[in-house]
Amino acid sequence: MSVKFEIENEASINDNNKSQVHNFQIRPTHNQKFNTHIAKEAIQETLHKYLKDKEYNQIQAEVLSTTIASEIKDRLKEQCLESRYKSMVQVVLGERHGAGTKVGARCIWDADTDTQASDKFLNETIFCVAVVFAVYFY
């Protein structure tokens, strides 16, 4: 019983000495929101940097798409990704033959805080679509 009393007594002393205000932010402020305009520019510049003079090569496609995704993610971390946002970059790279391609994605989404940015690149032999999903971490 004496141990219990000492713990309760310490807790009341600690509560009296420290008056902390816990401030937890559920939504990002206007300045903290993910900037889709900057993200779209970063995607567009990265796609042109890597693909403008390329011809489709099946062997290099996997490495190239991974490299593009990594650079886009790194650029977004530097430029417009606030620390509470978690991001995912998806790059679809393929050969242009005149056939159609459909790509889909699903996730749990909060329309007030979560967003996405995308851009595409086309030349004679390559099509590429890059999408960035930015999800605010509560």
Side-chain angles (χ1 to χ4, degrees):
M1 284 196 198
S2 63
V3 174
K4 184 176 180 182
F5 176 75
E6 288 176 19
I7 292 171
E8 288 176 356
N9 197 13
E10 281 184 82
S12 64
I13 292 170
N14 289 339
D15 289 341
N16 291 336
N17 291 340
K18 296 179 184 178
S19 58
Q20 293 180 344
V21 177
H22 296 284
N23 194 7
F24 188 74
Q25 184 179 343
I26 293 179
R27 303 269 186 233
T29 64
H30 182 68
N31 294 338
Q32 293 174 328
K33 285 195 174 186
F34 183 75
N35 191 332
T36 57
H37 180 70
I38 292 174
K40 188 170 176 112
E41 286 179 2
I43 294 167
Q44 189 175 48
E45 289 171 6
T46 305
L47 291 178
H48 282 281
K49 174 183 172 181
Y50 283 96
L51 301 174
K52 67 179 177 182
D53 297 328
K54 293 275 186 189
E55 286 191 23
Y56 183 79
N57 182 332
Q58 183 178 359
I59 296 168
Q60 295 176 352
E62 182 180 351
V63 173
L64 190 57
S65 62
T66 305
T67 304
I68 291 170
S70 295
E71 181 157 328
I72 290 171
K73 189 166 187 168
D74 292 342
R75 286 187 64 178
L76 293 178
K77 282 182 183 178
E78 293 171 6
Q79 295 178 355
C80 67
L81 200 61
E82 200 263 321
S83 63
R84 300 255 320 256
Y85 273 98
K86 304 303 175 197
S87 65
M88 185 193 79
V89 179
Q90 178 184 27
V91 176
V92 178
L93 179 69
E95 185 174 14
R96 231 174 135 183
H97 269 301
T101 301
K102 294 184 182 185
V103 178
R106 291 185 182 190
C107 64
I108 297 173
W109 200 259
D110 182 349
D112 292 335
T113 59
D114 304 338
T115 189
Q116 59 88 25
S118 63
D119 202 13
K120 66 179 188 253
F121 177 87
L122 298 170
N123 69 14
E124 294 296 317
T125 62
I126 295 175
F127 75 88
C128 186
V129 178
V131 183
V132 175
F133 299 97
V135 179
Y136 192 75
F137 188 67
Y138 296 108

